[in-house]
Structure formats: C-alpha cells, structure tokens
Amino acid sequence: MSGETGLKPLVTTVFVPAAIFGIGQGAAAPVMALTARELGASVAVSGLIVAVVGLGAVLGDLPAGRIVARFGERRSIIGGSTVGAAGVLVCLLAQTPWMLGVGALLTGLANAVWGLARQSYLADAVPIGLRARAMSSFAAMWRLGFFVGPLLGAAVILVVGARGGFMVQFVGVVLSGWLMSRVPDPPRRHAGTAGTHATLPSILRRHRKLLATLGAGSLLMGAARASREAVLPLWAAHLGLDAAQVSLVFGVGAAVDLLCSYPAGHFMDRYGRRFIAVPSLLVIGVSYLALPFSHDLLSIGVVAVVMGIGNGLGNGVIMTLGADIAPPATRAEFLAAWRLTHDTGMFAGPFGVGALAAVVPLGAAVAAIGGAALVGAGLLFRFIPVYSPWPPPTASEPGSSPLEKQEA
C-alpha cells in the first residue's frame, strides 16, 4: 500500500478539519501581542499574554489524556471546540489585558484536548510504516491553515482592525468542531486493553527517565517553535511595522513551513526521526540569532522564511515520537504526559521572552531563545534513536518502551 493511498481516508476525518482549525490559529497568532499592546500592555506583558496560550495547553494536558480515554476523540473534540470558541469570544471582546489573558488561557486549554484527540486517532488508525508521513501531513494541514490564516486575517484586519484575526479564529474553531462532531471514533487496535487506565502522575513516575532526557529536548523544541508567535510581532512592532504587514510576514514564513512538512515525514519514515529533528532545531536556533540583525520588512521576511524552514522540518516530529513510544494499553494517558513536555516548552518560550524583555533589550531575549534551541538540538541528537517504533506484541512485552531499554 502506497503512502498516498494509505493516507487518503484521513483527508476528511483529520486533515481538512486540521486545516480549518489552523486557519483560525494562524489568523489570531500575529494579533495577540498587538492587541495586548493596544490595550495598554507593555512589551513584556504582551509577551506574557502570548505565553498564556501555552500555559492553557499545559494545564489542558493534565486532564486531556483521561478525557480522551474516557469519552473518545469525537466527544472530546466537541467539548474542546466549545471551550475554544468561548475563549476566542473573550479575546474578541476584551477591554483589558487581563481579559485578553483569560481568553488566551481558554484557547490554550482547547488546543490541548483537540491536538491530543487527533494524535491519539492517528496513532490507532495508521500503520507504523506510514506513521511519520501521517503525523507530518496532519501538521502540514495545520500549517496550511497558518499560511492561509494570516493572509485571510490581514484582509479582515484592513477592514475591521487588529481584532479581525480573532473573528477568523472563531469561525475556524466552530467549523472544525462541527466537522469533527460528524465523525465516529475509530475502532481500537488494542481493544483488549480498553479498560486499562493510568493516572498522569503514575505515567510520569513510570517513564521519568525518558521524559527527563528525550522530554527535555521536546520541551526546548516547543519553546523555540512557540516563541516566534511572540518574537516576530514584537520585533516587527519594534521596527515600526503595522498589523497587516506582520500578518504578511507570518504568511510568507508559513508558506515555506508548509512546503517542508510532507518531505520531512517521508524522510523520517525512511531514515529515522533524528535525521529530521536535529536539523530542524539547528535552523530555528540560527534564525533567532539572526533576527536582531533585521531592520526592515524585507530582512525580517528573510528571517521568517528561514524560521519557516526549520519549523517545517520539525512538523510531526514530536507527535511521531510520542506515537512510537506510547504503551498501547495506556496510549492516551502517555501521550498526555508526552505532550506536556512539548507544551510546557510552548508556554515557557514566550514567557521567557516576555520576562527577559522586562530586564534586557528585546534583541538579547531573542538571542537567548536561539541558544536554547541549539541546546535542544544537542539533546535530541543524544537521545533520539535512529528508529523507535513499538515492536509487535509477540516480540516484546508491552508496557516498557524500547527507548527506555536503549537508554537504561
């Protein structure tokens, strides 16, 4: 079975809703920090408000595994989409920075449940030989949304102002949630383990070595990838660019990001996860180190393109690794713990930018994120094996990760 044929049934069940959801996220990403500035927040506080989206994802990861395991992907996505729509409305109507922060927190909670449910679905539905391509294609469709979203958002912004990005996000969240509400949950490959559940603390204890080593690399990748949503708008504002120009910069970077996504999955399936993960973070780190040297729309656009290449190469890496190492009996709960490492980084990155910007120049804060990305590349090089799928049940005892065995 070819990769294209094997992934075709996922188009309407996973990829199209992901693209629509991503359109909303992409439209809102450039305007969160700018809206905070409009409401009177400082540069530092604006960065922290962007980070609150990541905090919501971290807090959402804590119960998301149990929610998906208990209620299934379909009902979890309906609930998550409802919370997300409410959060976007709060952002749209916010009159103070703290109200905007509440809306950002709710959207982050929804993102955690939505993302885990789709990852769990793919881990069950896709054969191991197509796993990286499926995860990267899912990420690519999300990134397609991040390409279309800022461009669509820029058009709406020109008509109604910066909060037009939130209007696009609201439509995207509601429409993607409606599409997913019409799709039944997939049959489980490991039906015999359906009644087995584990708490998040027990998962963290059982896999603490794996999560402290490979998980640290995942955390730094999350920090590097999420920080651009704070860094690019704030640096663009520092250069005097307006909201529509910032959206165009995001759109150009997202286009390159998208083009790199599917080839990255193909190379991961063929050559292993490390082959793509390490170069991804190296390129992202270099782009952050170069950003303080940009001085106009063209130069910041060039940096956004380089950043898009690095981010695109990494699309699907963390999801693929999580699916590789997740115990079948407690897949959803383990994936929640695994996503917690990445999402913690997605919170910590923008938070760190905001905190550092309060005490050092913005350029120095950007350079610090670049350095963290390079450290993350080193950790991924050290702890990702060349290939890390679960062996067939007859070949090894389920419940212990091959990564853990290799690192013991």
Side-chain angles (χ1 to χ4, degrees):
M1 178 174 63
S2 69
E4 290 75 11
T5 301
L7 299 182
K8 190 174 181 180
L10 300 174
V11 170
T12 56
T13 59
V14 178
F15 299 150
V16 170
I20 294 172
F21 193 85
I23 287 173
Q25 299 294 305
V31 302
M32 183 69 77
L34 298 177
T35 302
R37 294 287 284 153
E38 281 187 359
L39 293 173
S42 66
V43 169
V45 172
S46 298
L48 295 178
I49 289 174
V50 174
V52 168
V53 178
L55 175 61
V58 171
L59 297 177
D61 284 332
L62 299 176
R66 296 299 298 271
I67 291 171
V68 173
R70 180 173 180 179
F71 298 107
E73 286 88 353
R74 175 178 171 272
R75 286 192 287 175
S76 298
I77 284 178
I78 292 172
S81 298
T82 302
V83 173
V88 177
L89 283 178
V90 172
C91 291
L92 186 60
L93 302 175
Q95 299 299 310
T96 61
W98 74 264
M99 287 181 64
L100 185 66
V102 170
L105 183 70
L106 291 174
T107 59
L109 290 170
N111 292 347
V113 176
W114 208 97
L116 177 63
R118 290 299 83 199
Q119 184 181 7
S120 178
Y121 181 101
L122 288 174
D124 263 322
V126 179
I128 181 68
L130 297 176
R131 176 172 288 163
R133 273 166 283 184
M135 296 292 184
S136 293
S137 295
F138 170 67
M141 295 305 290
W142 194 299
R143 293 304 170 187
L144 174 62
F146 261 79
F147 168 58
V148 176
L151 301 179
L152 182 59
V156 177
I157 286 167
L158 290 174
V159 177
V160 302
R163 299 201 192 198
F166 294 129
M167 294 180 180
V168 177
Q169 185 183 25
F170 180 79
V171 174
V173 170
V174 172
L175 182 55
S176 60
W178 175 74
L179 287 173
M180 290 310 309
S181 71
R182 304 168 67 237
V183 178
D185 288 334
R188 300 296 181 193
R189 290 188 178 190
H190 306 282
T193 63
T196 303
H197 298 294
T199 63
L200 183 60
S202 69
I203 291 289
L204 293 174
R205 287 194 301 271
R206 188 181 310 165
H207 302 282
R208 59 186 177 276
K209 184 176 181 181
L210 171 64
L211 295 173
T213 52
L214 185 58
S218 171
L219 185 150
L220 290 175
M221 176 172 271
R225 299 177 79 173
S227 293
R228 67 180 187 157
E229 295 184 13
V231 164
L232 281 177
L234 292 175
W235 189 257
H238 172 72
L239 297 179
L241 304 183
D242 60 31
Q245 289 174 313
V246 174
S247 285
L248 290 175
V249 167
F250 261 72
V252 170
V256 179
D257 186 329
L258 175 64
L259 291 174
C260 295
S261 295
Y262 186 81
H266 176 79
F267 287 129
M268 275 193 285
D269 276 332
R270 185 167 183 180
Y271 299 112
R273 316 324 189 195
R274 184 191 297 169
F275 185 82
I276 287 297
V278 175
S280 167
L281 262 186
L282 288 175
V283 172
I284 291 174
V286 169
S287 70
Y288 278 121
L289 296 177
L291 184 62
F293 297 98
S294 64
H295 54 84
D296 56 16
L297 179 61
L298 178 60
S299 55
I300 197 174
V302 171
V303 173
V305 166
V306 176
M307 200 173 290
I309 292 171
N311 203 60
L313 289 175
N315 279 341
V317 167
I318 299 301
M319 290 192 298
T320 302
L321 282 171
D324 286 347
I325 61 180
T330 53
R331 187 187 302 280
E333 293 91 336
F334 178 86
L335 289 178
W338 176 246
R339 289 177 65 90
L340 184 62
T341 64
H342 189 256
D343 289 346
T344 298
M346 295 190 74
F347 164 64
F351 180 87
V353 170
L356 286 173
V359 295
V360 300
L362 181 58
V366 173
I369 293 296
L374 299 182
V375 172
L379 288 171
L380 293 179
F381 178 81
R382 167 63 180 85
F383 292 108
I384 294 179
V386 175
Y387 198 59
S388 56
W390 269 87
T394 56
S396 81
E397 180 182 356
S400 59
S401 166
L403 278 178
E404 290 175 311
K405 292 177 181 178
Q406 184 164 336
E407 294 168 6

